[in-house]
Amino acid sequence: MIAAVALALSSAACFAFGAALQQRAARREPQHGTADPRLLIRLLRRKSWLLAKAPDLAGTVLQAVALRFGPLTLIQPLLISGMFLAIPLEAALDHRRPHPRDVTAVAACVLGLAAFLGAARPRAGVSQPSLMGWLGVAFIGGALVGICLLLAHRATGAARGTLLGIASGLLYAGTASLLKSVADRVTDDPLSTLTDWHLYALAVVGFASVALNQNAFQNGPLAAPLTSITLVDPVASVVIGVTAFHETLSFGGLRLLVEVPAVLAMGFGIWLASTRSTGREGYEGG
């Protein structure tokens, strides 16, 4: 388990570096509509964006290995630690100091989630969910993503970035759950993985999450979409882990005295990131 935690933290650092570089490239492109795939096509022609995918790829490999040896309810939440690195990285690339509101939002989410995990104590379940489990994840997750996209179509600035970030986080949670399933199957029987639907579902959901993520990065400061993505991803992963993979969390008694304030802190962090002004003052050092 210690090795899985170390791999997850290393993956978080890679994702943070990649996110800061990708957001910088995405903001240089003309504004695109909600979930417009043309943005990703344009970014594929940018050398700076393609170079940013290198740490992303390394992070994905580390994430897959970590998921092979640790529960989804533990590994995905640990990736939130990358938020600590991505915000100052974005500021450094823009030659400014991190905005205090961004730092506060990130700290509230990270500390809230860390407290929640410490109290809930995630434990492993089954290695492969049932077909009904996967259908439940697809139906509920797809409906939530659709609602976020409809609301984002009417929103602007940081609010739009937050909504797209929430949708991206949900897709990333689905990607992680499929990645865990594929990683387990590859270890047991590599050849059978090529004919297994999990691999192709992983490719589709993974592509959709990356495309939507770039649209989120175009709207407002990095903290708005990144806070949403990095919080919704582990929270949704915990739900998938408990319902589909039958992983367990501890609730009740004195634990609720920690868990309830932790959830409130995470909600406050998302609100803080989504309501910051996106004008010029949001990008200048003060």
Side-chain angles (χ1 to χ4, degrees), residues 5-22 52-60 62-63 75-90 226 230:
V5 169
L7 287 166
L9 292 175
S10 299
S11 175
C14 290
F15 283 137
F17 188 51
L21 294 175
Q22 288 173 56
K53 297 307 293 181
D56 250 12
L57 179 60
T60 301
L62 291 169
Q63 178 191 18
I75 300 304
Q76 285 304 105
L78 284 174
L79 297 183
I80 200 172
S81 61
M83 289 176 64
F84 271 131
L85 297 174
I87 301 302
L89 277 173
E90 181 212 18
L226 186 63
T230 319

Side-chain angles (χ1 to χ4, degrees), residues 41-107:
I41 294 173
R42 290 179 65 93
L43 287 171
L44 285 171
R45 300 171 183 169
R46 271 193 178 271
K47 291 182 179 179
S48 59
W49 188 86
L50 291 174
L51 287 174
K53 297 307 293 181
D56 250 12
L57 179 60
T60 301
V61 172
L62 291 169
Q63 178 191 18
V65 179
L67 287 168
R68 176 65 182 86
F69 297 105
L72 190 67
T73 47
L74 174 64
I75 300 304
Q76 285 304 105
L78 284 174
L79 297 183
I80 200 172
S81 61
M83 289 176 64
F84 271 131
L85 297 174
I87 301 302
L89 277 173
E90 181 212 18
L93 290 172
D94 286 342
H95 304 289
R96 61 176 176 82
R97 291 192 297 274
H99 195 287
R101 193 180 180 98
D102 292 347
V103 175
T104 303
V106 168

